[in-house]
Amino acid sequence: MLSMTNEEVKKAAAFFTKEIEKLASGRSLRLMEVCGTHTVSIFKSGIRQLLPENVELVSGPGCPVCVTPNEYLDTAIAYSRKSDVMITTFGDMLKVPGSSSTLAKEKAQGSDIRIVYSSLEALEIAAKNPDKKVIFLAVGFETTAPTAAAAILMAAEAHLTNFYVLSAHKLVPPALRALLASGKSHVDGFLLPGHVSAIIGLQPYDFLSKEYHIPGVVAGFEPLDILQAVYMLMLQIHDQTARLENQYSRIVPKEGNPSACTILSQVYQQTDAVWRGLGKIPNSGMSIREKYQAFDALLNIPIIVEETKEASHCQCGKVLRGLLKPSACLLFGKACRPEHPIGSCMVSVEGTCAAWYKYGAGRWQV
Amino acid sequence: MSNERVQLAHGSGGKLSHDLIKDVMWPAFANEILGEMNDGAQLHISGCRLAFSTDSYVVKPLFFPGGDIGKLAVCGTVNDVAMNGALPLYLSAGFVLEEGFPIADLQRIVASMQQSAKEAGVHIVTGDTKVVEKGAVDGIYINTAGIGKIMDGIHISGKNALPGQNIILSGYLGEHSLAVMGERHGLQFPQSVRSDCAPLNGLVEAMLTAVPKVAVLRDPTRGGLATTLNEIALQSGVGIMLEETHIPISSAVQAACDILGFDPLYLANEGKMIVFVEPESTNQVLDIMQQHVYGSEARVIGTVVKEPRGQVGLRTRIGGVRLLDMLVGDQLPRIC
């Protein structure tokens, strides 16, 4: 797609939007983009404006930082206050509000918190700082979890005794199932996450069409990928069929990435997990297997965590289930802004509220 | 704000920096000249118009592809003075050194400063050196201040943007930030990703000599193109509309940004400038810029519009329109 000229891109976009409008034929339809990277691409490229008003894109629970519950942040913050602990984390986590503080505030007060770009960087930091207990905040879906698992395997091989993982890894398909099982989130079709699918393949989404008769398309991240995937969903909706299709076949093989899945299941086992806004979802999290428990922060470094408090009036939970548009939240753009976020959806660059705000939904009028 | 503490994002040049200046600095220092909010102060002293600017340099690492802290300290201040439509003349240099810092590195840095000063045609005429105990600073911090003479008949200000004007950008975006970032984290970027750090006063002088009617000049450093244009839109009370396909971003920078999750429109540049000019003078300005080594890739990237005031919009590659907001937080700390 990179090889297309600007004119060709514009022409293709115009074709898809026209066909989408025709296929929708005036019906009100709700399509959910599950992945935060899709949300950003949709806003960044102005796709919402190109779609007819009756075809609505709603964001799902696919921003890893956004679905991380307060309790996890409170635990990380409590750890950061221990003088023999160093926290290593992706930058996104710094500003996420816990019950009473953020990692950014703790850093300003002197906690040793380092931003890393991968779990392997955290591993290097641990090797260089043998006098510190280095905890990696392992947040993310099936895409980032294999790298955290690889870091644990490498730490085991190198006999590192000061590297720990605080795991909040989550699995996407169980969350979609929970969303549908609740019966509250009405969705006519799913744009499924390309990167996650590149790891887990297509099979885990089979239940969408088989059990719920909802079409799903695994989509890439270029604006034209997304428009094409919406078009593919509309074709199915128009024909009243429900299949699982793969728009992103140039990256996503049907069977996913078996070696990444092997590493994942070698280190982690499925466990129930709490999602912000969605509550506890069976088998939607990953905990470290017994064999590698020496690297599990919670099991090895005792910590007392403050009682979890949720921000009052924050509606992130509803936003994450596609039940509420960010602009309908009373805090949005007023008390809750990217520079002073109240809910997690306003913090992460991939958060639904942050994307709405940053790319000006409702603010830039032409 | 008095119960809070300074966070790294307060130094990003984005919204939090603006809040810090508005809530802490401005109440203490408020005066008419500071209130102009330009890249430097424009002073009228005994019939002479001078531009005066200062900046501190804390970049990490000290040496990176395409430059070092010394080159940055000279070019950054020279450019801030030049963006007032002035010819930079003299600089000061203040050094804060960490106990144990290698003298050889210091020699390398001051040699680089001298070389950049020579290229820019300015002299470093006063200075200061302090040494603090190990751990109190990270190697070396440099402050420079610069003074220059505003060219006769030239009136540049961030308040001068008017609907109908064209917006010219002098070249490719994002190179400085990524070069520093790549060096800091040991990332392997293509060799073409080098800091664009350069003195722009020669380009400014050539342009203003031929076309004195230029309205706004600004170098998109911290916060990048997006933040700089937002500042101008606010200062002038106008809207700005950009064409995504006209904004020069190299494929190497775009690829690195895609991998790291950065937006090149928010990355700091150290050798680029934005020019607001009336339509009838646009081609002449473009010609002059394109003939200069630091403006050879100059092009029109957008126009000034009446509404919505104080906002910047971007027409995307697929034909959608979206807001281009000011930087919030920090993409990359200690980039200059």
Side-chain angles (χ1 to χ4, degrees):
Chain A
M1 225 158 272
L2 283 173
S3 58
M4 290 173 79
T5 66
N6 290 329
E7 273 316 301
E8 286 165 345
V9 168
K10 224 171 173 172
K11 231 166 142 181
F15 167 79
F16 286 133
T17 44
K18 212 171 117 199
E19 289 300 311
I20 289 165
E21 184 162 11
K22 245 195 270 173
L23 290 166
S25 56
R27 274 174 301 173
S28 286
L29 296 167
R30 278 163 58 87
L31 309 179
M32 178 175 276
E33 89 270 1
V34 175
C35 173
T37 314
H38 277 150
T39 304
V40 170
S41 186
I42 286 164
F43 277 104
K44 208 170 161 180
S45 56
I47 284 180
R48 276 167 190 262
Q49 276 185 326
L50 295 179
L51 293 180
E53 265 178 32
N54 52 318
V55 177
E56 192 188 355
L57 288 175
V58 290
S59 309
C63 151
V65 171
C66 306
V67 298
T68 301
N70 265 6
E71 192 188 347
Y72 179 86
L73 284 149
D74 293 340
T75 308
I77 287 164
Y79 273 132
S80 79
R81 289 172 180 162
K82 287 177 81 94
S83 59
D84 59 342
V85 165
M86 181 196 294
I87 300 284
T88 52
T89 176
F90 299 130
D92 266 14
M93 293 292 287
L94 278 192
K95 285 188 300 171
V96 185
S99 295
S100 63
S101 181
T102 66
L103 288 168
K105 284 183 186 160
E106 297 300 321
K107 189 167 166 14
Q109 306 236 31
S111 286
D112 197 347
I113 299 170
R114 313 271 175 101
I115 295 174
V116 293
Y117 291 88
S118 76
S119 52
L120 301 181
E121 207 180 329
L123 201 61
E124 278 172 33
I125 290 175
K128 280 185 198 154
N129 295 275
D131 53 329
K132 286 263 188 172
K133 293 172 176 153
V134 175
I135 300 178
F136 175 64
L137 303 187
V139 172
F141 296 115
E142 292 91 333
T143 33
T144 45
T147 61
I152 288 177
L153 290 177
M154 287 166 76
E157 200 168 306
H159 303 293
L160 266 186
T161 54
N162 67 326
F163 177 73
Y164 303 92
V165 169
L166 184 60
S167 176
H169 284 306
K170 294 195 166 41
L171 302 165
V172 169
L176 298 186
R177 183 182 278 283
L179 210 63
L180 292 172
S182 75
K184 286 183 187 157
S185 307
H186 175 77
V187 177
D188 295 296
F190 281 104
L191 280 175
L192 296 166
H195 295 149
V196 167
S197 309
I199 305 288
I200 64 172
L202 303 182
Q203 189 275 330
Y205 305 113
D206 271 349
F207 72 96
L208 294 176
S209 53
K210 289 190 178 147
E211 293 176 40
Y212 291 94
H213 200 73
I214 296 178
V217 174
V218 172
F221 299 92
E222 293 291 328
L224 277 188
D225 284 327
I226 295 171
L227 277 175
Q228 188 182 20
V230 170
Y231 169 65
M232 288 164 75
L233 281 176
M234 296 305 301
L235 282 173
Q236 289 196 48
I237 292 167
H238 182 261
D239 294 344
Q240 297 185 333
T241 59
R243 286 187 308 274
L244 183 59
E245 294 183 314
N246 186 4
Q247 182 275 336
Y248 204 30
S249 57
R250 65 182 193 274
I251 298 288
V252 178
K254 196 171 168 216
E255 68 285 0
N257 181 339
S259 48
C261 291
T262 306
I263 290 178
L264 209 51
S265 57
Q266 198 180 337
V267 177
Y268 288 109
Q269 59 200 3
Q270 269 179 263
T271 179
D272 298 351
V274 177
W275 295 54
R276 192 188 290 256
L278 285 85
K280 191 182 244 185
I281 301 178
N283 286 321
S284 68
M286 283 179 262
S287 64
I288 298 171
R289 284 186 190 275
E290 207 178 332
K291 187 177 174 193
Y292 298 101
Q293 274 180 355
F295 303 101
D296 190 328
L298 283 177
L299 293 180
N300 293 283
I301 311 171
I303 191 76
I304 297 164
V305 182
E306 65 181 306
E307 197 185 329
T308 302
K309 280 183 289 216
E310 298 293 337
S312 54
H313 306 301
C314 174
Q315 306 257 36
C316 277
K318 280 190 173 172
V319 170
L320 286 166
R321 283 177 286 165
L323 298 177
L324 187 82
K325 279 185 198 170
S327 56
C329 172
L330 290 175
L331 305 179
F332 178 81
K334 298 180 188 93
C336 185
R337 299 191 309 278
E339 63 270 37
H340 297 292
I342 289 175
S344 58
C345 297
M346 188 57 99
V347 179
S348 168
V349 287
E350 297 200 337
T352 310
C353 297
W356 272 68
Y357 189 86
K358 177 170 181 193
Y359 297 115
R363 282 202 291 157
W364 176 269
Q365 305 292 344
V366 276
Chain B
M1 203 172 210
S2 51
N3 292 328
E4 293 178 30
R5 285 170 190 263
V6 173
Q7 299 175 31
L8 275 176
H10 281 116
S12 67
K15 269 187 184 164
L16 282 180
S17 303
H18 282 247
D19 288 350
L20 192 72
I21 291 168
K22 184 168 64 78
D23 298 337
V24 179
M25 308 298 182
W26 176 252
F29 301 136
N31 64 60
E32 201 181 323
I33 299 168
L34 189 62
E36 290 290 316
M37 297 287 186
N38 284 318
D39 268 354
Q42 297 183 7
L43 310 171
H44 298 251
I45 302 171
S46 315
C48 190
R49 294 198 306 146
L50 298 175
F52 178 43
S53 187
T54 184
D55 215 327
S56 298
Y57 298 86
V58 298
V59 65
K60 180 184 178 181
L62 302 174
F63 303 95
F64 45 84
D68 55 67
I69 190 171
K71 184 177 182 184
L72 204 57
V74 170
C75 295
T77 296
V78 161
N79 292 346
D80 280 348
V81 172
M83 294 306 134
N84 287 283
L87 309 176
L89 299 168
Y90 300 108
L91 297 191
S92 71
F95 298 86
V96 182
L97 304 171
E98 184 186 16
E99 176 190 19
F101 189 71
I103 295 284
D105 283 356
L106 185 58
Q107 284 170 326
R108 197 173 149 195
I109 289 165
V110 295
S112 171
M113 289 177 79
Q114 178 51 28
Q115 198 186 338
S116 297
K118 197 175 162 192
E119 186 191 345
V122 298
H123 297 278
I124 297 167
V125 291
T126 180
D128 175 55
T129 306
K130 297 280 193 302
V131 179
V132 296
E133 60 273 33
K134 198 160 186 58
V137 296
D138 191 357
I140 176 173
Y141 298 154
I142 304 177
N143 172 277
T144 52
I147 195 156
K149 188 176 178 303
I150 298 174
M151 293 169 70
D152 288 338
I154 302 295
H155 296 276
I156 304 283
S157 167
K159 291 180 175 171
N160 289 350
L162 286 174
Q165 288 169 348
N166 284 319
I167 301 164
I168 299 172
L169 174 66
S170 65
Y172 283 86
L173 291 179
E175 291 153 346
H176 174 74
S177 281
L178 285 180
V180 172
M181 160 90 185
E183 188 69 19
R184 191 189 301 170
H185 293 281
L187 306 174
Q188 299 294 318
F189 293 143
Q191 290 212 325
S192 61
V193 180
R194 296 169 63 79
S195 169
D196 58 349
C197 181
L200 297 173
N201 54 325
L203 176 56
V204 169
E205 185 178 359
M207 191 176 69
L208 293 182
T209 305
V211 187
K213 258 179 68 184
V214 165
V216 184
L217 281 181
R218 201 56 78 78
D219 53 343
T221 53
R222 280 183 313 174
L225 177 77
T227 303
T228 305
L229 289 178
N230 268 285
E231 287 167 358
I232 296 168
L234 281 173
Q235 268 182 288
S236 292
V238 295
I240 286 173
M241 192 66 196
L242 299 181
E243 296 291 332
E244 185 174 36
T245 53
H246 294 185
I247 300 173
I249 293 162
S250 73
S251 51
V253 165
Q254 188 62 57
C257 282
D258 286 346
I259 292 167
L260 296 167
F262 295 137
D263 186 339
L265 302 182
Y266 292 90
L267 291 181
N269 310 278
E270 291 293 340
K272 296 293 163 354
M273 66 177 186
I274 305 163
V275 185
F276 284 51
V277 66
E278 294 296 334
E280 62 269 21
S281 308
T282 303
N283 284 339
Q284 198 188 353
V285 170
L286 270 179
D287 278 348
I288 293 164
M289 289 179 80
Q290 286 165 355
Q291 282 168 34
H292 196 279
V293 60
Y294 297 132
S296 56
E297 299 292 339
R299 63 196 73 181
V300 174
I301 58 164
T303 51
V304 181
V305 292
K306 210 168 154 196
E307 302 281 349
R309 284 173 191 218
Q311 297 198 342
V312 182
L314 180 80
R315 196 178 313 281
T316 68
R317 198 165 174 229
I318 59 164
V321 174
R322 63 144 162 121
L323 184 84
L324 190 61
D325 206 359
M326 209 177 250
L327 177 68
V328 177
D330 207 345
Q331 289 212 114
L332 298 167
R334 290 184 64 185
I335 216 72
C336 57

